[in-house]
Amino acid sequence: MTGHEHSSADDEALVRAAQQGNLGAFEELVARHRDKIYARAFSMMRNEEEALDLSQEAWVKAWQRLAQFQRESSFGTWMTRIVINLCLDQLRKQKRYRTESLEAIDEESGGVERQMPVLTVNPTERLERAELRQRIEIALDQLSYEHRTVLVLHEFEEMEYKEIARVMECSIGTVMSRLFYARRKLAVILSDLKKDEAT
Amino acid sequence: MMDGDVQIKLQSFVDGELPEGEARAMANLMAQDREAAALVAELKYTRQALSGHEKGVRLPESREFFWSKIQREIERTAPVAPVPRPVSWLVRVRRILTPVAAVAAVAIAGFIATRPASAGSGVETSLSDPGAFTYRDFASGTTLVWLSYPAEDTLADGE
């Protein structure tokens, strides 16, 4: 049976069938959640090829560990956690080979973001959705992986500070500082403050 | 310029991570301090801007192509079942004969153990002395014992 033949079943029924070895049911689950899983990998990695590889790897891992899925959360949430863990592992590996820049060290110490002036108008108010998307993408690209990851886990995955601290293996204070920096930088890019300042 | 710790606390307030007492203190600060209120507003704008951002992202491969890669990887990493080897006729015969022989051996042993003793006469060997033989004639009530080695006296005489 192919995945298309399972299109009317709900996630729970598909998971049950897949746990009994039904690959067609699993294909339908992949089809339903693949965009969300890829989007999360892309938000964290900022690289299309890596995001594709890691989301594919997440699906293979999910199939191998399907027996461990106890339905404590939704299947989508369980899958998202798998891809997040794979991305974190990959980012940690990459960090080992990357030299910390002076800017990154300054960001880490949490000093820069506190000096930036607070924006008094809603920077997103006059932006079209497409432009807003583009600026968010630019901002995410410009953030270091530590700041971006904290932002993604908090804003997209809706994790609490302590949970982020646990998965990122750092203190809650560091999480708060990184999140603050990431948001302030994002606000600046959204409002295009730098361009205004230059003119 | 606002104190750094206050800025972080205002962020925690926006994220709902402050205990009740501290949250009340931050709410009061916002009411009195324009800079604090502006920072909270900015933090809320960024949250709002990010909400739903990932929903617009699409996987840049077709369903079939993406699945074909996953399926290939699942099949490649699946544990391989051992292929059964051809069994020779000798092994097959042995497989049949072994249990048959075992059953036969048990049956024979059982038959010997449960066989009634002969009512007539018979020759026995003693388990404690394999060199001693006993002849019993139950009809006449006679028992005759003989040894397959010289008596101790004879040996003693010879020495």
Side-chain angles (χ1 to χ4, degrees):
Chain A
M1 196 181 273
T2 67
H4 296 282
E5 291 166 53
H6 292 277
S7 54
S8 58
D10 62 16
D11 273 12
E12 210 177 311
L14 291 173
V15 169
R16 262 199 310 275
Q19 282 177 326
Q20 286 161 7
N22 187 326
L23 212 53
F26 189 67
E27 188 203 349
E28 179 61 27
L29 286 167
V30 173
R32 281 184 196 180
H33 298 277
R34 67 198 178 116
D35 285 336
K36 187 186 171 190
I37 300 307
Y38 169 77
R40 184 57 43 85
F42 186 77
S43 290
M44 293 180 75
M45 305 307 294
R46 311 303 303 161
N47 178 297
E48 190 177 294
E49 201 176 326
E50 277 185 301
L52 266 171
D53 286 348
L54 288 167
S55 54
Q56 183 192 318
E57 195 181 332
W59 284 111
V60 175
K61 275 215 154 47
W63 171 260
Q64 291 163 344
R65 297 177 187 172
L66 213 50
Q68 295 168 27
F69 176 57
Q70 300 296 313
R71 296 174 180 81
E72 285 157 359
S73 60
S74 71
F75 178 74
T77 304
W78 184 69
M79 262 315 298
T80 310
R81 293 297 160 95
I82 292 178
V83 80
I84 285 172
N85 286 335
L86 287 173
C87 289
L88 285 172
D89 287 346
Q90 183 67 15
L91 289 165
R92 282 191 197 108
K93 275 184 217 158
Q94 288 175 357
K95 195 193 172 190
R96 273 187 231 138
Y97 303 105
R98 208 170 38 206
T99 316
E100 291 281 342
S101 69
L102 284 175
E103 192 191 354
I105 292 165
D106 195 21
E107 284 179 12
E108 191 63 35
S109 65
V112 178
E113 74 277 20
R114 287 169 194 170
Q115 308 304 318
M116 295 192 293
V118 174
L119 304 174
T120 51
V121 291
N122 182 351
T124 67
E125 210 165 52
R126 283 167 296 155
L127 292 177
E128 293 291 327
R129 191 68 215 175
E131 194 181 354
L132 180 62
R133 284 194 61 79
Q134 195 184 1
R135 289 197 190 184
I136 291 172
E137 291 294 325
I138 291 167
L140 290 173
D141 280 340
Q142 287 185 9
L143 291 173
S144 70
Y145 99 84
E146 287 96 344
H147 293 97
R148 187 172 56 245
T149 304
V150 170
L151 192 68
V152 167
L153 296 181
H154 192 271
E155 299 302 322
F156 299 155
E157 192 60 20
E158 297 177 353
M159 280 187 183
E160 291 180 355
Y161 294 168
K162 65 177 176 191
E163 204 178 353
I164 299 173
R166 187 181 55 78
V167 298
M168 291 196 73
E169 297 166 3
C170 65
S171 69
I172 290 178
T174 304
V175 169
M176 292 193 287
S177 181
R178 285 175 180 172
L179 187 59
F180 191 69
Y181 175 87
R183 282 168 159 167
R184 304 244 42 217
K185 185 148 188 170
L186 180 67
V188 169
I189 293 168
L190 291 180
S191 67
D192 219 2
L193 191 66
K194 278 187 176 168
K195 195 174 79 182
D196 292 345
E197 281 173 347
T199 54
Chain B
M1 182 63 66
M2 223 185 306
D3 177 53
D5 289 343
V6 176
Q7 289 180 326
I8 295 291
K9 272 197 178 172
L10 282 169
Q11 175 182 246
S12 303
F13 171 70
V14 171
D15 292 333
E17 293 255 6
L18 281 185
E20 204 177 318
E22 286 187 74
R24 226 179 357 255
M26 288 300 112
N28 289 338
L29 178 68
M30 272 172 58
Q32 293 159 12
D33 187 330
R34 284 176 61 189
E35 202 184 353
L39 178 63
V40 167
E42 186 197 280
L43 292 168
K44 285 182 178 172
Y45 297 149
T46 55
R47 289 200 74 169
Q48 188 192 330
L50 287 168
S51 69
H53 176 72
E54 283 188 340
K55 286 203 174 99
V57 181
R58 294 277 171 271
L59 190 132
E61 286 179 353
S62 71
R63 171 178 176 158
E64 287 73 20
F65 182 63
F66 187 61
W67 171 248
S68 72
K69 292 195 295 180
I70 293 167
Q71 189 176 18
R72 203 162 46 237
E73 198 57 20
I74 285 172
E75 285 165 359
R76 194 184 66 80
T77 54
V80 181
V83 180
R85 283 182 303 178
V87 181
S88 75
W89 67 270
L90 196 65
V91 174
R92 268 185 239 157
V93 168
R94 197 188 299 158
R95 275 183 195 163
I96 296 165
L97 285 184
T98 305
V100 169
V103 170
V106 170
I108 291 165
F111 173 73
I112 292 168
T114 56
R115 189 178 57 169
S118 168
S121 61
V123 176
E124 293 172 12
T125 55
S126 165
L127 285 175
S128 60
D129 188 353
F133 295 88
T134 307
Y135 172 78
R136 280 203 186 103
D137 189 342
F138 294 102
S140 60
T142 312
T143 299
L144 189 64
V145 178
W146 76 94
L147 306 171
S148 63
Y149 47 81
E152 278 182 18
D153 289 348
T154 316
L155 281 170
D157 289 345
E159 279 173 9

